[in-house]
Amino acid sequence: MDKLKPFLEKHFGHTTFKEGQRQIIEAVINGEDVFAMLATGSGKSLCYQFPALWKKGTAIIVSPLLSLMENQVQELKQSGIRQAAAYNSFLSPPEKEHILRHLADYKIVYISPESLQHPEVASRLEKLNVSLLAVDEAHCISQWGHEFRTDYLRIKEIRRLAGNPPCIALTATASADAKKDIIEKLELTNPLVHCDSVDRPNIYIDVRKKKNEEEKRETLREECSRLPLPGMIYVNSRLKAEELAAFIREENGLKTSAYHGGMSNEDRRLVQQQFLNDEIDVICCTNAFGMGINKPNIRFVIHYHYSKDMESFMQEIGRAGRDGRQSLSLVLYDAADGMLPRRMLEHEFPSEEEIRMVSHDPDRPEWTTSRFLLERYGLEEVHARFLQFYIHKWYQSSRTQPLEDFISSVIQRRMEWKLQKLKQKEYWLHQKDRCRRTALLEVFDEHNKNIVTPCCDVCGEYTMHVYQQRKERESELSWEERLKWILHQ
DNA sequence: CGCAGCACTGCTATCAGTGCTGCGGTGCTATAGT
């Protein structure tokens, strides 16, 4: 007798499981660890929400963005699941205290990796019956955990503290390397591994080398005048995002907006909402834009600057064509583009001078805080947290080498790793004799490529059909929209 | 694999070349002050 289905219908209103869901849910219920790579829209959340409600105790869900947590809790509450909360800095101190005191009354609690590390939180979890620990958008562990948000690498410690509950890692895109890294960093034991294909057959992949920035802009202007809308343009600086938004607005008469981390929360929310409502034709953004965006009709993603590795690229182009209709990924690059990612890579780490200073300071307490490092040495915040994390790691280790050497070797290893990822990306851009899709999928350990037409610039030209769509769209418009469009021209 | 902006230099032009420096992305949190 199948008990899962009635439960599914009662709490989530579905009559059947989607591909893969059932197996994952059963594994979590049985106390197994899971690594799941599921395509967007295939019901990732259900994989932890179902077991969370099914099992006794409280499920802890680690989520990277406050906005994602808020959305999830809101959705749960709307579908009648009220014992859900997000524990984060949006809450006032009394509200936080209230949630912590009554943790056991909740079935699902969302939390950031940073908040998870708070001593009050950790000590509460120690006494709590944690039904499962889920890490949503788990690729963040591998993408952010080593340098930018090191608390991602400390999740396993809290997991141990909470009595080793079953752990489920969920993501839409993780390369073969990232998958290995995630499993290792979370200490998943014999996990059930479920991987959907990351291939997106309705996205045509195009790469074009340009002589210089001027040529890139020319191409941008041309493409924005004929590609179906809406679309996205990725750049690697905030200033450039603003600049290109203005450029396309002026040159093409399109509704554009920039989006980057330097904007206020209100502006970001507004722009995002306008884009989702089809009130913006082209959004020019840094990598701040994307996570949690589920807009079905994005027709193109142009990379005005290329992303730093293959999996960021996959994530970024994967935002196009969620509705299944023909879409386009276009990368424009020139010889000077390699400079910035290398500079940024170096800038991610503290300098040798800073490491020496910190390592040899006799006044530095053993369990130093990032705040201490920040104030005493005037380090950048990210560098201070990076150092704090690896200093602690050194104290936990056998300390066979001096602290300075330990940190330097970590940095060297990570730099080499990241540089190799960047080179892999550049190799992929430059090579002109292999199918781009085949080469892209190999990074994700997929070797049985489907025959896709149109596929990519190497397999064959494909432009006319795509451009045709814009014309079709324009003739579908109402007279008001058409008038607006004509006035723009 | 750059580029803009600045100070400096040589030696007297309000310049022309050189060389240095800074820039550049992702988000959480806590806390002080309106």
Side-chain angles (χ1 to χ4, degrees), chain A residues 257-259 263-280 283 289:
Chain A
S257 183
Y259 185 104
M263 291 160 55
S264 70
N265 283 338
E266 301 91 82
D267 284 350
R268 289 172 68 159
R269 208 186 308 240
L270 181 71
V271 170
Q272 184 176 321
Q273 205 49 56
Q274 286 176 329
F275 188 60
L276 293 178
N277 295 344
D278 286 327
E279 291 159 11
I280 288 174
I283 192 160
F289 190 74

Side-chain angles (χ1 to χ4, degrees), chain A residues 113 117 140-147 149-158 160 181-182 184-187 389-390 393 414:
Chain A
Q117 295 302 324
C140 293
I141 293 176
S142 146
Q143 247 170 328
W144 284 351
H146 297 267
E147 291 90 18
R149 293 177 71 179
T150 46
D151 286 323
Y152 260 109
L153 300 192
R154 291 174 163 139
I155 295 176
K156 62 180 177 191
E157 293 164 22
I158 301 296
R160 267 185 244 137
D181 195 30
I182 293 166
E184 192 188 304
K185 295 295 176 296
L186 286 175
E187 290 180 343
F389 177 76
Y390 287 100
K393 219 175 155 187
R414 286 296 300 166

